[in-house]
Amino acid sequence: MKCALVTGGSRGIGKAICIKLAAMGYYVLVNYKSNEGEANDTLAKIRANGGDGELLKFDVSGKEQIQDALGKWIVANADKYIEVLVNNAGIKDDGLMMWMKDEQWDNVINTSLGGFFYVTRMVLSSMLLKKYGRIINVVSLSGLKGLPGQTNYSAAKAGVIGATKALAQEVARKGVTVNAVAPGFIKTDMTEGLDEKEMAVLIPTRRFGTAEEVAHTVGFLASPEAGYITAQVISVNGGLYS
Ligand code: NAP
């Protein structure tokens, strides 16, 4: 059984990635933080398409929770290994840096950058042992360009981009690729408060993207055929920034 783990698989981009990987034949571990209803909906959609998976609840910003939930799964499933990892869970908590609170900085950094480190380290050893793996990190245009009001989020995503490029070079010889996908504005809960009509004039494609369009890129990078692509950041942003 081929297994894939998607962090933040209950909603938005993560949900679409879970459905895409399941359609590619993966048994999908759907991670989420608290929204069990939406996580169950992801699993139901996977099963409705003829796939399968299970829920794996843990907060990616807490290393003890990761150890507890993911560590236990790995021990209990010694006959399986996670060959595709998508580090997708992320939050934003915007504000000008002048007024930014410690918690705003810590929570955003610990979720994207801390989550990447602690989750990836846990699944890496089996990928290296099996000499095959795909790690895809969902970053952001904000981590490439920097966006005002998002020093915490831009720093977190830029940190993951640097780590992607470094780790890719560490593990390339072992058949493990590490890439990042950088979405622009995608229609999910995260962008709910934004006025698409008003902002679309800035985007060459004149629209926000869909979660499925990001998932398609992730699916491509997760495929065996993408084995010669590593240490890259692929933007899915309608031409907004290059
Ligand atoms: P979303 O709709 O807000 O969904 C966020 C997902 O992450 C949910 O499944 C949520 O779980 C999960 N999550 C949040 N914190 C978590 C934690 N500490 N531990 C485990 N899971 C956690 O967001 P989205 O728009 O799909 O964004 C997905 C990724 O794409 C994020 O990394 C985001 O930064 C990035 N991104 C999004 C956009 C965009 O325009 N939407 C653009 C660029 C980059 P619960 O349901 O349990 O809360």
Side-chain angles (χ1 to χ4, degrees), residues 9 18 25 28 37 54 92 122 134 143 155 190 192 198 213-214 222 227:
C18 288
V28 181
E54 66 185 271
K92 69 181 175 82
M122 192 157 277
R134 296 280 182 265
M190 193 177 266
E192 206 173 40
E198 198 177 276
E213 286 170 320
V214 180

Side-chain angles (χ1 to χ4, degrees), residues 143-161:
L144 289 167
K145 183 180 182 287
L147 291 180
Q150 293 196 320
T151 48
N152 51 357
Y153 187 78
S154 297
K157 296 301 193 182
V160 175
I161 289 170

Side-chain angles (χ1 to χ4, degrees), residues 9-11 15 30-45 54-58:
S10 46
R11 289 183 286 125
K15 185 191 285 283
V30 181
N31 160 257
Y32 67 105
K33 182 181 173 186
S34 55
N35 201 330
E36 193 167 343
E38 283 299 322
N40 271 315
D41 175 73
T42 301
L43 198 53
K45 289 195 162 95
E54 66 185 271
L55 303 188
L56 198 58
K57 179 182 179 179
F58 59 86

Side-chain angles (χ1 to χ4, degrees), residues 1-3 77 79-83 126-127 130 132-133:
M1 191 193 287
K2 301 192 301 175
C3 295
N77 293 275
D79 54 325
K80 307 183 185 109
Y81 94 103
I82 295 167
E83 68 170 56
S126 352
M127 288 183 180
K130 302 275 181 184
Y132 184 87

Side-chain angles (χ1 to χ4, degrees), residues 30-188:
V30 181
N31 160 257
Y32 67 105
K33 182 181 173 186
S34 55
N35 201 330
E36 193 167 343
E38 283 299 322
N40 271 315
D41 175 73
T42 301
L43 198 53
K45 289 195 162 95
I46 286 173
R47 289 183 176 147
N49 286 345
D52 202 6
E54 66 185 271
L55 303 188
L56 198 58
K57 179 182 179 179
F58 59 86
D59 181 341
V60 299
S61 70
K63 58 181 166 183
E64 291 82 14
Q65 273 199 41
I66 298 170
Q67 178 65 48
D68 202 41
L70 181 55
K72 273 188 189 148
W73 187 93
I74 290 171
V75 170
N77 293 275
D79 54 325
K80 307 183 185 109
Y81 94 103
I82 295 167
E83 68 170 56
V84 173
L85 166 64
V86 184
N87 288 302
N88 162 78
I91 53 165
K92 69 181 175 82
D93 193 349
D94 298 351
L96 295 177
M97 184 156 151
M98 179 80 188
W99 312 113
M100 192 172 283
K101 298 191 176 72
D102 292 3
E103 313 87 78
Q104 284 176 283
W105 178 265
D106 292 342
N107 291 342
V108 170
I109 298 280
N110 292 344
T111 303
S112 278
L113 191 54
F116 156 80
F117 176 70
Y118 290 110
V119 173
T120 305
R121 193 175 59 176
M122 192 157 277
V123 303
L124 196 56
S125 54
S126 352
M127 288 183 180
L128 296 175
L129 216 65
K130 302 275 181 184
K131 295 193 169 56
Y132 184 87
R134 296 280 182 265
I135 298 169
I136 298 124
N137 301 316
V138 180
V139 293
S140 172
L141 171 132
S142 187
L144 289 167
K145 183 180 182 287
L147 291 180
Q150 293 196 320
T151 48
N152 51 357
Y153 187 78
S154 297
K157 296 301 193 182
V160 175
I161 289 170
T164 299
K165 293 179 180 181
L167 179 63
Q169 294 172 69
E170 290 182 15
V171 299
R173 276 178 307 162
K174 298 283 187 186
V176 179
T177 65
V178 190
N179 291 290
V181 172
F185 292 101
I186 307 299
K187 266 182 268 190
T188 68

